[in-house]
Amino acid sequence: MEIIPANITDESVLRLFHEYDDFMVSFLGEDRRLYTRYNGKENIKRVWVARWDSLPIGCIAFRDRTDGIGEVKRLFIKSEYRGRGVSKELLNTIESYAKKEGFHTLLLETRITLEPAVSIYRTVGFTIAFQEGLYIQMQKKL
């Protein structure tokens, strides 16, 4: 497996974002009306793609929030590649980038019901900073 930086407009990135959106819409059920599909307005600064035998299998994105705070966006691994440590490697990649760029905190937003994702985030050091219903915001000090 390799993780490579990619352009937000790359076809492989947009396809992974589309798969992520489809997963979230399916997962959310009736709450899908609250979900916004990728539309290019998220102000994503950087994106990385995980490749397995040259095939794009996952991605992660980064955007600035405020001074010294960055946000993890759109962490997604295709279902057949989950459980192989790809998410942790992508999270390590974004953390290294954020530290190098002088960020002191990473945030992410998810739902408490996405238990496998929340578990991975906790494993790499994220903690819940805010919760309202099923929505949670997690943070990690760098």
Side-chain angles (χ1 to χ4, degrees):
M1 187 210 31
E2 66 176 341
I3 297 174
I4 58 169
N7 189 307
I8 194 73
T9 59
D10 285 356
E11 183 180 324
S12 62
V13 170
L14 296 174
R15 201 169 341 164
L16 287 165
F17 283 6
H18 181 75
E19 288 182 56
Y20 172 89
D21 289 339
D22 287 348
F23 169 81
M24 289 302 296
V25 166
S26 175
F27 176 82
L28 291 171
E30 290 182 20
D31 287 343
R32 69 180 161 264
R33 62 184 166 66
L34 304 172
Y35 183 78
T36 303
R37 289 181 171 271
Y38 179 73
N39 59 20
K41 297 179 182 178
E42 292 181 25
N43 296 320
I44 290 174
K45 183 176 182 178
R46 298 287 310 251
V47 64
W48 293 264
V49 172
R51 295 186 179 273
W52 195 285
D53 292 333
S54 315
L55 298 173
I57 62 160
C59 61
I60 195 167
F62 177 89
R63 75 174 175 182
D64 294 356
R65 287 281 294 247
T66 60
D67 281 343
I69 299 174
E71 184 176 8
V72 177
K73 300 290 292 176
R74 299 191 161 271
L75 174 58
F76 175 73
I77 310 300
K78 290 184 176 198
S79 60
E80 61 269 30
Y81 294 94
R82 293 179 188 156
R84 300 180 188 201
V86 179
S87 292
K88 289 179 186 172
E89 289 300 318
L90 285 166
L91 286 162
N92 288 337
T93 299
I94 212 166
E95 183 176 333
S96 294
Y97 168 78
K99 284 179 180 176
K100 187 182 99 187
E101 295 296 313
F103 290 85
H104 58 76
T105 304
L106 284 176
L107 296 177
L108 61 85
E109 298 174 351
T110 190
R111 292 173 62 95
I112 197 73
T113 53
L114 277 168
E115 294 164 1
V118 173
S119 178
I120 290 167
Y121 299 142
R122 285 185 171 158
T123 298
V124 299
F126 281 86
T127 58
I128 295 175
F130 175 80
Q131 182 170 354
E132 183 175 328
L134 300 176
Y135 164 85
I136 60 174
Q137 185 178 74
M138 300 183 81
Q139 71 177 10
K140 181 176 183 178
K141 300 289 184 186
L142 303 178

